[in-house]
Amino acid sequence: MSTGVIKKVAGPLVIASGMRDANMFDVVRVSRQRLIGEIIEMHGDEASIQVYEETSGLGPGEPVESMGVPMSVELGPGLITSIYDGIQRPLDDIMKVSGNNLKRGVEVPSLKRDLKWEFVPTVSIGDEVETGDIIGTVQETIVVQQKIMVPYGVKGTVKEIKSGEFTVEETVAVIETEKGEKDLTLMQRWPVRRGRPYQKKLSPDMPLVTGQRVIDTFFPLAKGGVAAVPGPFGSGKTVIQHQLAKWAEADIVVYIGCGERGNEMTDVLNEFPELKDPKTGQSLMQRTVLIANTSDMPVAAREASIYTGITIAEYFRDMGYSVALMADSTSRWAEALREMSGRLEEMPGEEGYPAYLGSRLAQFYERAGHVISLGKEGREGALSVIGAVSPPGGDISEPVSQATLRIVKVFWGLDSALAYKRHFPAINWLNSYSLYLDNMELWFNEHVEADWMENRQKMMTILQEEAELEEIVKMVGMDALSAGDRLKMEAARSIREDFLHQNSFHEIDTYTSLKKQYMMMHLVLAFYEESVAALEKGAPLQKLIQMPVREQIGRFKYVPEDKVEEEYRKVNEELHVEIANTLGKGDF
């Protein structure tokens, strides 16, 4: 262990001399208050330390002690339902020690040491095991069964295996390896800046179904994919993150509140325990890990919070679970990078952000993926990452948004104009995109309906043509349009209001299954295509636009899932009858 002394303090940056034996990214304890820090630069025996706590009052000459290990997280039973700060300190335990106001230098273990967990072994004495193999299970919550895996770098024969109740530090198995005996506990540690290894990455060709129509139908995210949600203040980023946390087809949710306002995190902490998980009927917290790093906490800790969250997510992915990670928001994380870079007197890049902003963002997003984990059975797990970006003034030409868009394959662009019109989710269909579409075309056509992609394309075309027609209407008025074009404008309005608009606070409309989404698509398109055919045969435009069945198409989204087929048949029949009526009467 290396001990040095403080030479200089500049905000969250502390420079210490006499640290010759320390290594890059070692965890250090700074001053007699033992504040947590991490070495981010070395020059001879001088170490630049990023301190994750408030540094006011520190002065030169105080001791700095290196712990000799990189910044790591504790992985094991007790993670689910926990609420951590950016460096994996459990906030409930800190409160017991320091009351409502966080004190500096508080040392509490990440996983509770006094809790006993029921361990059920799945291997026997004499079995050969290697890295990633499951040696037993712990039922962590009603919903999540944690699989205890052989840590990285361990391979050998099971010499001893126990069952019963243990704390995370007690030995549950002994493995005979080439280098001697290795005791295994329920807990393992992992350095946060290193991605957890896996056997192989798979192609992202299966969607992460979210139940949000504009996402699933128009801009789907693959399981193991990465998405960015940039948007100005008030455009609904946080609501989208909450909706995805609640409804996305993920077994585990890791939610990182990175530098967001305290009251937003309070909403999450109050709402999630009360929300019922639609799949299990239990509280949503039973499969969630929260990392709360609010804007009033030290800026430097934001940088760690993203890595802490993704390492926990990778751990569950290695068990074979589908994990969704929400980072809200990466802009605040980039601000922490900018501050540290300025303190280190590095050459600034665009808008003062460090020149390595893009590569750091890429290192984070690259850790997502649909993978086959280590171990003999090769479990399949997926880690999908959704990062919110908060560009100042909603301008996505700024560096963080641009660097993110170069990396991610799904862009859900939130639009303040749509939010102002109360159209939510305010995802702009004209400038958002998903580059996973081609990969997933086969899946949608096979698992939902054979013409899913064809229908999606028809709807996108109508919306794009509407945007062009709107330009004409602005110049010469609606009356200058032909009957066919006016019908197209009506169809586009139907797509926007009846299909894309979704009320996240309505008990039925908040989630739409893929089957129901297909039916809704089909009804909106059937109205347009049959009306076009009737118009050509001489039906009056006004009668087509004013058909009562359009009200039923609009209300179809409020039909419960168990009644959709019956209602779908009814609306379809009604549509045929009313189209025939417009033709039969033939009066203009």
Side-chain angles (χ1 to χ4, degrees), residues 539-558:
L541 174 68
Q542 215 51 40
K543 278 200 169 157
L544 289 169
I545 290 174
Q546 289 168 355
M547 287 190 296
V549 73
R550 293 193 63 198
E551 176 70 20
Q552 286 168 268
I553 294 173
R555 299 202 63 75
F556 189 75
K557 56 181 164 189
Y558 303 120

Side-chain angles (χ1 to χ4, degrees), residues 318-389:
D318 290 349
M319 293 180 201
Y321 288 123
S322 169
V323 187
L325 177 123
M326 319 286 160
D328 191 10
S329 92
T330 51
S331 297
R332 310 270 181 272
W333 172 75
E335 280 167 15
L337 281 185
R338 178 163 64 181
E339 172 154 351
M340 286 314 297
S341 175
R343 302 276 185 194
L344 289 165
E345 297 172 9
E346 294 171 341
M347 178 68 79
E350 207 180 337
E351 286 187 28
Y353 287 101
Y356 47 77
L357 171 69
S359 63
R360 287 284 174 88
L361 270 169
Q363 280 167 11
F364 165 66
Y365 281 112
E366 284 295 311
R367 289 170 71 171
H370 186 187
V371 305
I372 291 177
S373 63
L374 295 176
K376 288 195 284 285
E377 59 176 289
R379 297 169 297 282
E380 220 177 279
L383 166 52
S384 316
V385 175
I386 296 116
V389 186

Side-chain angles (χ1 to χ4, degrees), residues 40-60:
I40 54 172
E41 213 174 70
M42 295 286 296
H43 292 290
D45 73 336
E46 276 191 8
S48 300
I49 298 160
Q50 173 164 280
V51 181
Y52 292 131
E53 298 182 74
E54 185 58 53
T55 57
S56 54
L58 296 191

Side-chain angles (χ1 to χ4, degrees), residues 242 245 255 268-275 283-285 288 290:
H242 288 198
Y255 193 97
V268 174
L269 301 180
N270 287 336
E271 272 178 28
F272 275 33
E274 287 175 17
L275 286 176
S283 158
L284 196 59
M285 276 306 284
T288 305
L290 289 176

Side-chain angles (χ1 to χ4, degrees), residues 397-457:
S397 64
E398 57 89 45
V400 182
S401 304
Q402 288 301 311
T404 306
L405 292 182
R406 279 198 286 276
I407 301 155
V408 301
K409 287 193 154 191
V410 176
F411 166 62
W412 297 321
L414 295 174
D415 190 337
S416 53
L418 284 174
Y420 189 69
K421 290 176 188 164
R422 291 282 168 267
H423 177 105
F424 290 108
I427 294 174
N428 186 318
W429 49 88
L430 295 174
N431 59 16
S432 301
Y433 60 80
S434 168
L435 301 180
Y436 295 116
L437 264 176
D438 294 345
N439 285 21
M440 295 192 287
E441 183 168 350
L442 199 64
W443 190 94
F444 277 116
N445 290 346
E446 254 179 43
H447 291 82
V448 194
E449 288 290 338
D451 57 349
W452 171 280
M453 275 298 168
E454 190 188 325
N455 283 356
R456 176 203 172 274
Q457 195 50 52

